[in-house]
């Protein structure tokens, strides 16, 4: 039998080098890691250039400034939740924020150390976390290499995608039947469809807002009609959540857009509007969000009152804060916010972009592949 101490020791040095590879490719860290560390620790497919390329292609578009509208409060909120540029790496605000929310790459060994003998569960947002934010939300594809990383991490841990998108749409992007999917901000949850991954109550199904479906379809049609005169506005039907994307709307049009959406909602008091990254979202007023969704999934997995579970949630958006908050309140696991811009967050750690999320997943896989198999199967 392998000496577990020797394996762990080897793994720790492997992790250090793995993180150096990631660091070497990241703009946030300086000075750069010496090039001789850029060894083939992981298969090349796990640290692809194509992810970086895709992430760069999807970085935020620039919109014009100015245009004070009457709907000032909503425009301010839309602006605050939709940063259009990243902050200088050297700004004091960013340095302070990074100290408060260290990079998950920097503390990767700490995360793995906390995971020892715990049952790890991975939760992943989709847009802006696994895929870049792109102008056309229908083209927010994840890189093949990211899919491989998610597929491999799911071999070791229960893994769920928790997205504002409708479940069918996010499944079409990810196309991994072994995962849990919580679409419409957790209002549409389904367990793995792959039979070999169904154990016990893993074949879960939860739709707490099912009775709202006819109303959501009705409001979707109204929103299409009301917003069609606003150039760049895009209404997406995510089943239990309607998303009005404004990432392609000039900033002077945001106020008008918010007014029109609100004019539709005044007749639907059972619906509420929230905002995400360049998107207004209309949801049922039921007390259900991504935080409730991860609580439901942890309970379904048998971890409702477990002290041995370590949930890790990676997300980039305001709606992910509900999940970060649940983890903080449970005192379990880690929230990791993907953001180039300092934000108020309940996440403990941070990452800059989806590329770095792929590094974390790949480093986790490498770690699991090199340690004692009994550790892996504790999960
Ligand atoms: Mg997101």
């Amino acid at each position: 039998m392998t000496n577990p101490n020797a394996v762990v020791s080897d793994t720790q040095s492997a992790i250090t080098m793995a993180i150096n590879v990631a660091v070497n490719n990241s703009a946030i860290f300086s000075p750069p890691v010496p090039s001789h560390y850029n060894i083939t620790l992981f298969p090349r497919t796990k640290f692809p250039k194509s992810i970086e390329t895709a992430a760069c292609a999807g970085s935020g578009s620039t919109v014009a400034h100015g245009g004070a509208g009457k709907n000032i409060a909503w425009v301010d909120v839309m602006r605050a939740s939709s940063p259009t540029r990243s902050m200088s790496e050297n700004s004091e605000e960013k340095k302070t924020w990074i100290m408060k929310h260290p990079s998950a790459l920097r503390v990767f060994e700490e995360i793995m150390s906390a995971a020892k003998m715990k049952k790890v569960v991975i939760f992943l947002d989709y847009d802006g976390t696994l895929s870049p934010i792109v102008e056309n939300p229908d083209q927010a594809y994840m890189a093949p290499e990211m899919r491989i990383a998610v597929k491999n991490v799911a071999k070791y841990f229960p893994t769920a995608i928790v997205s504002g998108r409708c479940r069918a749409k996010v499944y079409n992007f990810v196309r991994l039947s072994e995962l849990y999917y919580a679409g419409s901000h957790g209002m549409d949850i389904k367990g793995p469809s792959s039979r070999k991954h169904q154990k016990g109550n893993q074949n879960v199904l939860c739709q707490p807002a099912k009775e709202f479906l006819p109303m959501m379809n009705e409001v979707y049609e109204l929103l299409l009609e009301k917003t069609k005169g606003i150039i760049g506005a895009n209404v997406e039907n995510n089943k239990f959540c309607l998303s009005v994307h404004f990432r392609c709307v000039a900033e002077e049009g945001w106020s008008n857009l918010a007014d029109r959406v609100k004019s539709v909602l005044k007749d639907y008091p059972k619906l509420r509007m929230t905002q995400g990254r360049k998107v207004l979202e209309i949801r049922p007023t039921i007390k259900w969000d991504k935080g409730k969704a991860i609580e439901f999934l942890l309970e379904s997995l048998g971890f409702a009152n477990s002290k041995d579970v370590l949930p890790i949630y990676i997300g980039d958006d305001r709606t992910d804060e509900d999940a970060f908050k649940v983890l903080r309140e449970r005192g379990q696991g880690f929230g990791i916010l993907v953001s180039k811009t300092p934000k108020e967050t309940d996440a403990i750690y941070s990452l800059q972009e989806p590329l770095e999320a792929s590094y974390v997943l790949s480093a986790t896989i490498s770690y699991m592949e090199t340690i004692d198999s009994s550790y892996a199967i504790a999960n």
Side-chain angles (χ1 to χ4, degrees):
M1 183 180 166
T2 311
N3 178 342
N5 291 328
V7 170
V8 168
S9 174
D10 287 348
T11 303
Q12 283 173 339
S13 69
I15 286 172
T16 303
M17 285 188 284
I19 298 309
N20 280 333
V21 172
V23 165
N24 205 26
N25 283 290
S26 172
I28 182 175
F29 304 108
S30 65
V33 174
S35 58
H36 66 268
Y37 276 174
N38 208 355
I39 57 174
T40 309
L41 180 65
F42 299 122
R44 281 296 304 165
T45 53
K46 291 180 182 173
F47 285 104
K49 282 197 167 163
S50 56
I51 294 182
E52 191 167 21
T53 307
C56 291
S59 57
S61 58
T62 305
V63 295
H65 285 280
K70 60 183 175 179
N71 205 354
I72 295 296
W74 261 107
V75 170
D76 285 346
V77 173
M78 289 160 84
R79 203 173 283 133
S81 62
S82 310
T84 54
R85 62 185 173 81
S86 59
M87 193 167 285
S88 162
E89 302 300 336
N90 296 320
S91 73
E92 284 308 309
E93 185 184 354
K94 186 144 188 179
K95 284 180 185 168
T96 305
W97 188 76
I98 289 286
M99 282 178 70
K100 195 173 168 191
H101 305 283
S103 166
L105 288 168
R106 281 262 190 227
V107 297
F108 184 74
E109 287 196 39
E110 280 176 47
I111 294 174
M112 287 298 104
S113 175
K116 274 188 179 173
M117 306 314 292
K118 301 275 187 186
K119 297 178 190 308
V120 174
V121 183
I122 305 283
F123 297 103
L124 302 165
D125 170 49
Y126 184 74
D127 292 87
T129 300
L130 298 184
S131 76
I133 297 289
V134 292
E135 290 203 339
N136 183 350
D138 290 337
Q139 294 177 358
Y141 305 114
M142 67 195 293
E145 295 81 2
M146 178 69 96
R147 179 175 293 106
I148 290 168
V150 175
K151 184 179 179 65
N152 285 336
V153 90
K155 289 177 183 170
Y156 293 101
F157 313 117
T159 302
I161 307 293
V162 187
S163 171
R165 304 263 197 166
C166 77
R167 179 164 53 81
K169 198 172 284 185
V170 78
Y171 180 83
N172 281 337
F173 279 124
V174 179
R175 297 197 311 275
L176 293 173
S177 61
E178 57 268 49
L179 306 186
Y180 294 78
Y181 288 86
S184 305
H185 295 293
M187 284 184 280
D188 190 6
I189 301 176
K190 195 167 183 308
S193 53
S194 169
R195 271 187 178 275
K196 69 177 183 180
H197 292 94
Q198 291 173 4
K199 294 174 194 162
N201 62 349
Q202 285 188 11
N203 192 19
V204 293
L205 183 65
C206 174
Q207 293 183 332
K210 199 171 183 177
E211 71 270 25
F212 284 85
L213 215 43
M215 187 187 290
M216 299 306 285
N217 288 329
E218 190 177 303
V219 173
Y220 172 65
E221 296 297 331
L222 290 171
L223 287 172
L224 280 180
E225 184 63 29
K226 277 278 186 184
T227 62
K228 69 181 178 188
I230 298 179
I231 296 169
N234 179 5
V235 185
E236 185 180 18
N237 188 344
N238 285 313
K239 200 168 181 177
F240 299 106
C241 171
L242 305 175
S243 303
V244 182
H245 299 277
F246 59 88
R247 61 186 69 163
C248 295
V249 178
E251 193 170 335
E252 53 265 35
W254 291 4
S255 173
N256 184 22
L257 180 67
D259 276 342
R260 293 193 190 193
V261 173
K262 282 168 66 181
S263 75
V264 171
L265 293 188
K266 70 179 179 1
D267 296 325
Y268 295 89
K270 290 187 174 178
L271 301 181
R272 65 185 167 116
M273 181 164 79
T274 58
Q275 74 292 318
R277 279 176 76 178
K278 295 184 184 173
V279 64
L280 297 173
E281 293 179 311
I282 291 89
R283 292 189 264 171
T285 51
I286 63 166
K287 287 189 189 304
W288 196 270
D289 51 36
K290 288 184 172 182
K292 294 281 185 197
I294 69 167
E295 283 183 324
F296 173 86
L297 282 166
L298 288 171
E299 188 174 338
S300 298
L301 290 164
F303 301 141
N305 300 307
S306 171
K307 292 195 177 1
D308 297 330
V309 67
L310 189 111
I312 296 175
Y313 188 108
I314 310 178
D316 74 314
D317 208 344
R318 287 175 74 99
T319 57
D320 298 309
E321 291 296 330
D322 296 315
F324 297 148
K325 193 173 173 194
V326 163
L327 297 189
R328 267 202 191 262
E329 287 173 355
R330 288 173 73 107
Q332 288 179 317
F334 305 106
I336 302 173
L337 176 68
V338 181
S339 178
K340 287 181 184 289
T341 310
K343 291 179 184 172
E344 193 63 39
T345 181
D346 274 313
I348 295 175
Y349 301 126
S350 66
L351 291 169
Q352 292 272 295
E353 56 190 344
L355 177 66
E356 292 191 347
S358 79
Y359 291 159
V360 168
L361 295 178
S362 295
T364 304
I365 296 157
S366 182
Y367 186 81
M368 297 308 296
E369 283 174 348
T370 47
I371 61 171
D372 191 335
S373 60
S374 63
Y375 172 102
I377 292 321
N379 298 281

